[in-house]
Amino acid sequence: MSNIPKHIGVIMDGNGRWAKRRGLPRSAGHKAGADNLEKICDYCNSLGVKALTVYAFSTENWNRPKAEIDALMELLYNYLLTVEEKFRNRNMKLQISGDVTALSEKIQKAIVHAEEVTSSGDGMILNIALNYGGRAEIVNAARKSAEDVKSGKIRPEDIDEDYLGRYMYTSNLPEVDLIIRPSGEKRLSNFLLWQAAYAEFWYSDICWPDFGNDDMKQAILDYQNRDRRFGGV
Ligand code: IPE
Ligand code: IPE
Ligand code: MG
């Protein structure tokens, strides 16, 4: 496989429906989804994907029942505790994108630790979009640019796509080539709005916990047959 997408975004959707179909609580679906992430991570890393951004919790997911949010946060915390050991052999690096200040102190500390201990990894970057919203990200970039103008660092006319782009969470990552959404939904739900400008899309009816390496391979093979013109002919 050549022409591997450098940066893949995945909206890890369908955990709840996966669980419901099995007569399980939604939290069991989230656990199965987290387990699946490990498998897909290994697969993408082995293919030479540079960055994998996965949507784990949106700025809108606070609208869910508290018990479900608590279960998701607990799952996330437990995952963060395993990162140091798991990522070491794989040479992977962890990055979190989103407003982490709204998360508990315990989780914030675990994030800092996990990012720090994996920072020298030169394999794939797993970028977890957490309390992430594409609109919030753009608003944040606009605000920071406005502050730069106010402090005299730049003039308004200096603000261009590159300038604003540097304030996006993904500024250190390659352009997003491919966005995948399993579970049958065909919308972005506020994921990577800025970065999606020229990304290719792949949808699948399979719920995330069942989205396997073969499905990922199919998405990548399809991506490789796309004609990406970027506005040209
Ligand atoms: C995605 O699965 C996980 C999160 C949003 C945290 P869902 O929980 O949205 O699963 P469905 O869409 O209800 O099946
Ligand atoms: C998007 O899924 C967010 C994540 C997968 C983390 P949702 O299930 O929250 O999106 P909607 O509500 O169906 O648009
Ligand atoms: Mg959903």
Side-chain angles (χ1 to χ4, degrees), residues 12-18 26 30 56-57 61 64 68 72:
M12 303 190 290
D13 197 15
N15 295 348
R17 279 162 286 167
W18 181 93
R26 291 178 61 85
H30 294 315
F57 194 88
N61 285 146
R64 296 192 177 200
E68 181 169 350
L72 279 166

Side-chain angles (χ1 to χ4, degrees), residues 38-75:
E38 289 191 31
K39 208 176 62 193
I40 292 290
C41 255
D42 276 346
Y43 184 61
C44 289
N45 194 25
S46 73
L47 290 177
V49 172
K50 300 281 175 245
L52 178 68
T53 296
V54 295
Y55 208 4
F57 194 88
S58 74
T59 47
E60 288 71 41
N61 285 146
W62 296 108
N63 294 326
R64 296 192 177 200
K66 185 176 181 296
E68 181 169 350
I69 296 173
D70 289 347
L72 279 166
M73 292 300 160
E74 196 55 27
L75 190 63

Side-chain angles (χ1 to χ4, degrees), residues 11 13-14 17 21 181-187 202-208 211:
I11 301 174
D13 197 15
R17 279 162 286 167
R21 280 175 207 151
R181 183 161 196 166
S183 88
E185 311 297 352
K186 294 186 176 65
R187 53 178 172 267
W202 173 263
Y203 300 103
S204 161
D205 285 334
I206 299 164
C207 286
W208 170 248
F211 191 88

Side-chain angles (χ1 to χ4, degrees), residues 210-222:
D210 285 334
F211 191 88
N213 292 350
D214 281 352
D215 302 302
M216 181 54 88
K217 186 174 178 181
Q218 219 185 317
I220 293 174
L221 287 172
D222 194 84

